[in-house]
């Protein structure tokens, strides 16, 4: 029997296998080019030379079968210092490929959905078997010629069929008892996909019955119900297409996202209104979670911690915050270009009007108005709308509110009600609160005298507002200063000095900002 006979037998059983082929050798490699062997999760057939090299190749093959590695050529070095520990000299290249089993679909139930599903599946190459306990439904004339139709007990018929990881069982019978029999056969056969067409109530009853029969919750977690991808439509054909789409995605290890999702940066767009340091913590969390993010700002924002604020791009054109680049854009087309490049566009849009043209999935109000004014954010601005801090009521004008007040509640998400009222108290650092905040002594134009990140002493000049000098009240690190040339109102916040000194990394997003970002991410994932 050849390796290919072994492979055919294995694939007939419904399980995938890996085919290993020697495609290159030099020196004292153990086998010649063209030598092959077959590997499954449990066994091997044939050999490519035995020993350490074969053992490593088998491990690599099983990684591919498990989806932990991609097919391709693996090179095994038989030299001192090589990746095998062998010293006989030479090198061997092995191509590791995953060979899928036959694409079998077993449909339990020959009603409207079953008939549509069988017809669609045969068109894309599945070997389809349909089972029904009713003789008038198990009518082969109602199905395409190449569909195998059985009249009989669901459990008995399915248990006698070849089944494995590349097989799928779709269950749509007329009774919960029959559903349970078909699901049990799929689980016992280690089918790669088991799906149940049922309401939540019926599915719970069926699965509870199987649990009573001894099936573990881990086994039952494999049963997909509600079944199918969310493609829209409610007719039998729509449901059948949704089921087969899910089966196909599972079979091929696909994530079922749009094929052009990477070229469609608006697919999951989040608009963050306000690019200050706290809003930037939100931007960072959403971006790292896979969302495309657009920041909207005023033309000349008073961004204090400019080194960790995407709003700073409004001045310099570009800013990079912990590896994420924010880029100022002037219109929506430029914003799309920035999103396509993997950057965060920063757009002058103080009223949120232009961003609404994108129809975003998420809007986050991070303006930090602290309830002092209406920022214009409304619950119908997006599918999910989140507000940071006071000034919003969850369930009324936004979907969720994230607490911004330091303490035990920081970052907590409220789906009803409001955050704590703003008390005006700066966060405490080394016993300092108001002393660490730098404020304008008068109205006028601000000019800086030091850089963010500088170490200063109490009394050092930080800059001036008009002719009025601005000095530090305490020793510490200049953690933030607003941009040069901004017209400032008397009492406005100009910056802050951190008394912890150079133990603080001013180039990193603050713990508070990241905490708020985590709260927003929770809300988005919970509400989507």
């Amino acid at each position: 029997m050849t390796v290919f006979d072994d492979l055919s037998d294995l694939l007939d059983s419904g399980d995938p296998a890996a085919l290993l082929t020697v495609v290159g050798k030099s020196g004292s490699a153990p086998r010649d080019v063209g030598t092959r062997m077959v590997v499954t999760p449990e066994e091997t057939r044939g050999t490519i030379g035995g020993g350490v090299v074969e053992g490593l190749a088998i491990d690599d093959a099983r990684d591919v079968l498990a989806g932990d590695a991609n097919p391709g050529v693996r090179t095994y070095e038989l030299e001192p210092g090589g990746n095998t520990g062998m010293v006989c000299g030479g090198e061997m290249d092995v191509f590791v490929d995953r060979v899928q089993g036959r694409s079998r679909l077993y449909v339990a139930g020959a009603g409207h959905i079953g008939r549509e599903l069988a017809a669609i599946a045969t068109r894309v190459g599945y070997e389809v078997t349909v089972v029904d306990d009713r003789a008038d439904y198990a009518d082969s004339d109602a199905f395409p010629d190449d569909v195998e139709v059985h009249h009989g007990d669901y459990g008995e018929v399915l248990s006698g069929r070849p089944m494995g990881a590349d097989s799928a069982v779709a269950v749509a019978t007329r009774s919960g008892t029959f559903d349970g029999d078909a699901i049990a056969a799929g689980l016992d056969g280690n089918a790669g996909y088991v799906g149940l067409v049922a309401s939540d109530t019926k599915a719970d009853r069926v699965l509870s019955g199987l649990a009573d029969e001894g099936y573990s919750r881990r086994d039952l977690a494999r049963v997909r119900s509600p079944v199918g991808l969310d493609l829209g439509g409610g007719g039998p054909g729509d449901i059948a297409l949704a089921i087969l789409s899910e089966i196909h995605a599972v079979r091929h290890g696909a994530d079922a996202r749009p094929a052009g999702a990477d070229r469609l940066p608006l697919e999951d767009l989040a608009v963050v209104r306000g690019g200050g340091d706290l809003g930037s913590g939100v931007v960072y969390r959403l971006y790292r979670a896979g969302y495309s993010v657009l920041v909207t700002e005023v033309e000349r924002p008073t961004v204090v911690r400019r080194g960790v604020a995407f709003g700073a791009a409004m001045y310099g054109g570009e800013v990079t915050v912990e590896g994420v680049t924010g880029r100022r854009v002037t219109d929506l087309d430029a914003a799309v270009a920035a999103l396509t490049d993997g950057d965060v566009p920063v757009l002058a849009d103080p009223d949120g009007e232009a961003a609404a043209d994108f129809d975003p999935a998420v809007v986050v109000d991070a303006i930090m108005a602290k309830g002092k004014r209406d920022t214009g954010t409304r619950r119908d601005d997006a599918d999910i709308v989140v507000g940071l801090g006071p000034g919003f009521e969850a369930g009324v004008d936004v979907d969720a509110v994230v607490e911004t007040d330091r303490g035990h509640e920081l970052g907590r998400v409220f789906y009803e009600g409001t955050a704590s009222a703003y008390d005006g108290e700066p966060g405490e650092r080394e016993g300092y609160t108001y002393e660490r905040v730098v404020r304008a002594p008068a109205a006028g134009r601000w000019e800086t005298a030091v850089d963010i990140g500088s170490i200063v002493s109490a009394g050092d000049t930080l800059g001036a507002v008009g002719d009025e000098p601005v000095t530090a009240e305490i020793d510490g690190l200049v953690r933030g200063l607003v941009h040069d040339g901004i017209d400032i109102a008397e009492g406005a916040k100009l910056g802050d000095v951190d008394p912890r000194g150079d133990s603080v990394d001013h180039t990193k997003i603050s713990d508070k900002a990241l905490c708020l970002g985590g709260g927003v991410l929770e809300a988005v994932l919970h509400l989507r």
Side-chain angles (χ1 to χ4, degrees), residues 482-507:
V482 298
H483 200 276
D484 268 332
I486 297 177
D487 289 326
I488 295 293
E490 182 178 356
K493 184 176 179 179
L494 296 172
D496 67 277
V497 176
D498 196 313
R500 294 173 294 179
D502 56 12
S503 65
V504 177
D505 189 344
H506 66 280
T507 67

Side-chain angles (χ1 to χ4, degrees), residues 213-471:
E213 292 177 20
Y215 286 90
S216 70
R217 288 297 176 185
R218 183 176 180 181
D219 289 334
L220 298 177
R222 293 177 46 216
V223 180
R224 294 170 181 263
S225 186
V227 70
L229 301 182
D230 184 4
L231 303 180
D238 300 318
I239 296 170
L241 179 61
I243 294 170
L244 187 64
S245 297
E246 186 175 52
I247 290 170
H248 213 62
V250 170
R251 171 174 163 75
H252 293 283
D255 58 12
R257 296 171 64 234
D262 291 338
R263 300 191 306 275
L264 295 172
L266 306 185
E267 187 73 21
D268 284 313
L269 179 66
V271 172
V272 178
R273 299 190 63 200
D277 63 304
L278 298 182
S280 295
V282 174
V283 173
Y284 182 83
R285 289 292 200 203
L286 291 172
Y287 181 92
R288 291 301 187 197
Y291 284 85
S292 297
V293 187
L294 166 70
V295 175
T296 63
E297 262 295 358
V298 297
E299 189 67 40
R300 294 175 65 79
T302 52
V303 180
V304 175
R305 293 182 180 168
R306 290 180 280 121
V308 289
F310 290 101
M314 295 300 294
Y315 296 99
E318 188 173 289
V319 62
T320 299
V321 179
E322 295 205 34
V324 181
T325 298
R327 194 164 94 203
R328 179 175 182 172
V329 296
T330 56
D331 55 39
L332 299 186
D333 285 343
V336 173
L339 290 167
T340 303
D341 291 341
D343 292 339
V344 173
V346 184
L347 175 70
D349 183 23
D351 299 321
E353 296 174 350
D357 293 338
F358 281 128
D359 189 23
V362 178
V363 166
V364 181
D365 190 317
I367 294 173
M368 307 305 295
K370 302 179 176 68
K372 295 179 180 178
R373 62 184 175 85
D374 180 1
T375 61
T377 296
R378 297 292 181 267
R379 196 175 182 183
D380 59 359
D381 287 344
D383 296 334
I384 299 170
V385 180
V386 183
L388 297 191
F392 308 100
E393 184 174 356
V396 177
D397 47 16
V398 294
D399 297 298
V401 175
V402 178
E403 178 62 70
T404 56
D405 193 21
R406 283 193 179 275
H408 186 66
E409 298 293 302
L410 178 65
R412 189 175 296 276
V413 183
F414 301 102
Y415 300 100
E416 293 181 358
T418 63
S420 302
Y422 178 60
D423 61 9
E425 179 82 15
E428 183 269 335
R429 293 284 185 272
E430 302 285 334
Y432 296 107
T433 56
Y434 293 100
E435 299 91 343
R436 65 182 188 80
V437 177
V438 181
R439 295 195 178 276
R445 180 154 297 185
W446 161 252
E447 298 295 337
T448 61
V450 298
D451 296 325
I452 294 175
S454 300
I455 299 294
V456 297
S457 300
D460 286 353
T461 298
L462 304 178
V465 177
D467 296 329
E468 292 282 342
V470 176
T471 59

